[in-house]
Amino acid sequence: MKPALLAFLRRPSGVIGLVILVFVVGAALFASAIYPGNPWDTVATPFTPPGTDGLLMGSDSLGRDVAAGVVHGARISLLIGVTSTFMALVVGVLVGAIAGYSGGRTSSLLMGVTELFQSIPAFILAILLVAILTPSVATITFAIAIVSWPQVARLTRGEFLSLKEREYVQAARCLGESPVSLMVRYILPNALSPVVVAGSLSIATAILIESALSFMGLGDPNMMSWGYMVGTARTMIRQAWWMSFFPGLAILLTVLAINLVGESLNDVLNPRISRQ
Amino acid sequence: MTTGAAPLLKVRNLRIALPAAGDRLFAVDGLSFDVHPNEIVCLVGESGSGKSMTAHAILGLLPPQVRIDAGSEIVCDGTDLLQLGEQGLQQWRGNRIGMVFQEPMSALNPLQRIGAQIAEALILHARTLGAEQVRQRVLASLAAVGLPEPERICRAYPFQLSGGQRQRVMIAMALINQPRVLLADEPTTALDVTTQKQILDLIRRLQRERHMGVLFITHDIGVVADIADRVIVMRQGCAVEAGTRDEVMLKPRAEYTRALIDALPGRRPATQDEAGGSREVLLQIRGLSKRFVTGGSLWSPAREVAAACDIDLDVREGETVAIVGESGSGKSTLGRMIMRLVEPDQGEILFAGRDILKLPRRDLANFRRDAQLIFQDPFSSLNPRQKVGEAIARGLIIHGEAPKAARNRARLLLDRVGLGAWAAERFPHEFSGGQRQRVSIARALALQPRLLIADEAVSALDVSIQAQILHLLGDLKREFNLTLLFITHDLRVAGEIADRVVVMSQGRIVETGTPAEVLGAPRHPYTRQLVSAVAGTDFLGQLAQDRAYIEALA
């Protein structure tokens, strides 16, 4: 992996993305050190503009520190983004691998189920699931995972379909490898690069879905989240722009950073693009 | 052949620098040669010798990372092509210099009809022609390269033509502007022997008719013997020897040239063991059939291809049987059916008396211990993410060996196939094609199989490497007491290694016999055609006669 890492670091866009991402992850990890105390607490006069009274990003309509909200909000965004994508990857890779390797009726059945999920607009399904299951970190993560796995499954199936015909897989079959071993030892490692790239990009999508859910009031009521902050401040955008601007900027930068990193990973890990 | 006339193409001191990370400084180092009208000059060398780079340099088609040194000169018709810019070169490409590439499928636009593509090559350089004139010229060019029904070919798409037809189209396209110089870069390498023979004859005929100078690039010294007037042998970017064909081929001065000629399969007497008529039959195939059905939708009828048609074949223990045929003859499918990678429709395959098509799962694993397959392409037959030692040890581990013992055995095997134990910790991409094929052989041998099927195992390799691998297989066969089923399209290889040759055509076995019988006195018309098409046959015959003559004098 050394040359891949070097190639990654040679890409300016990837490095920029990585730097932003390090900041976001740092904020999430050290939120309680940077802004000790509860971000929901009133700490200042309501509607204080940024830069006054030592408030970096001003205060909101209830006198809460916006900067504290943004820093603490990084936690929920990343937590949900990463865990939901991880769940989607596990389910998607499993379904896609079995469908791609087995072919025939099993494949048709699994792909039928996948298409069923894909035929419902992702966001609507997510809203529906969260509304039914009552909003919490666990249910939001679950809902996002449910709408994200079909893509991963299709991608994995495609890779498996082409890789299982490769001569080295046939050679391994001749050695007497079992189907599970063929899938895990021979096909999966070679199919993983595009899946990793798709996964990194789907973290960004998950963060956006989470923000959108919180914006609509379907977020976890106990957690400070960027989407929630934008949502509650949107009616006062003309009087107090900073209340929605900073959390919005945080969403934008985080998603952008993840996309930049994902694209660079794609360039580096995808053998079909030359590594010049 | 060299006439007093000025050369059409003059290359002087050509030096092409490789990027710093390359394995050597120069892809081509100080190469000089001429191509005169009325002659075919062959650049021959193994892969990486810089021969294709030379052709690409002439037309300014080099990749941007490589640079041509300032002292180099490529003069055509009094113009130094290296001084021309991209715009200037476009006037030369396809107009005064025609080019034919190795892979006719990728050189043609798959979405455009043949006629339109040839017309485009013409219109680019002769804008004033009317539509009817263009059509006539295109049809005439297709007729000139010996394509039947030019009208129909004009309307066809590339995928509707065979490999040989596509290469004829490429030649028609290269010649439509009547260039004086033709560059042919391995134009027959991707073709079957019989098609290769036809294309070589065609190039020779057109060159004579039009008094062209042809620079013909090939790795196959047999092809050189058939087509060249003059030969330049290249190695690592330098010309090691140059001269007329007879000088170079019959009295090679350079050690390397001699090695190349000696590496030609069929040059050494076949190493035949006492072909055991008394030995037991290990593999018995009866009435084996397989049809592939492709396409088939609402609008187009399904196409059926018979890959195997009622095949009967016996292979005795310790025997080497070569299965020979052109692509599409079903020889590879046969090998894969024996390995049960492809399920046959009908028939039985008895291995040591048991029908392997009816084996339950557990016994199938045991059978796979006894029979192994070596694949053609050493670049795709190894898992890119698995260390070489692991790839070899896996087979043993699956069959119950302790991992540590298996890895030790893998190291021994790597040593035995000439790679050394150090190779075990490397990944496949760190090896060359020949080395990878050695790894594949080690992997197959790890299980100590009784039957080894080699599916075009040396076809992707350079001749000198080919000779080494064949030699290795021969040694290993004796050492491990293997029965070898050698699938190849190359009659010369078959004749060299086999005790018995089986010729397949369109899924049927058309002829069986000893190499001497099949190659020396073929009975079936298809075999006769195959044998006469082998490049360099005449030359080899002549060479043998000359040697006999010289020996008689001595």
Side-chain angles (χ1 to χ4, degrees), chain A residues 1 166-179 181 185-187 189-190 192-193 269 276, chain B residues 65 336 339-341 368 372-373 375-377 380-386 391 394-395 398-399 443 447:
Chain A
M1 283 315 262
R166 292 288 167 87
E167 288 192 339
Y168 63 81
V169 177
Q170 304 211 347
R173 253 176 90 190
C174 290
L175 290 180
E177 292 276 15
S178 66
S181 180
R185 277 174 199 275
Y186 293 83
I187 307 181
N190 291 291
L192 223 45
S193 302
L269 292 180
Q276 272 309 316
Chain B
Q65 309 92 286
R336 282 174 161 69
M339 289 308 299
R340 283 207 54 187
L341 290 174
R368 287 200 158 136
Q372 282 295 312
L373 181 59
F375 292 85
Q376 168 173 9
D377 184 358
S380 66
S381 61
L382 292 170
N383 183 353
R385 310 249 165 169
Q386 197 176 39
R394 274 305 297 172
I398 297 163
H399 291 278
R443 174 177 62 189
L447 291 173

Side-chain angles (χ1 to χ4, degrees), chain B residues 414-435:
Chain B
L414 279 169
D415 204 39
R416 178 62 197 89
V417 296
L419 279 177
W422 54 268
E425 297 303 313
R426 306 285 175 96
F427 284 97
H429 70 87
E430 297 174 65
F431 296 95
S432 69
Q435 288 175 321

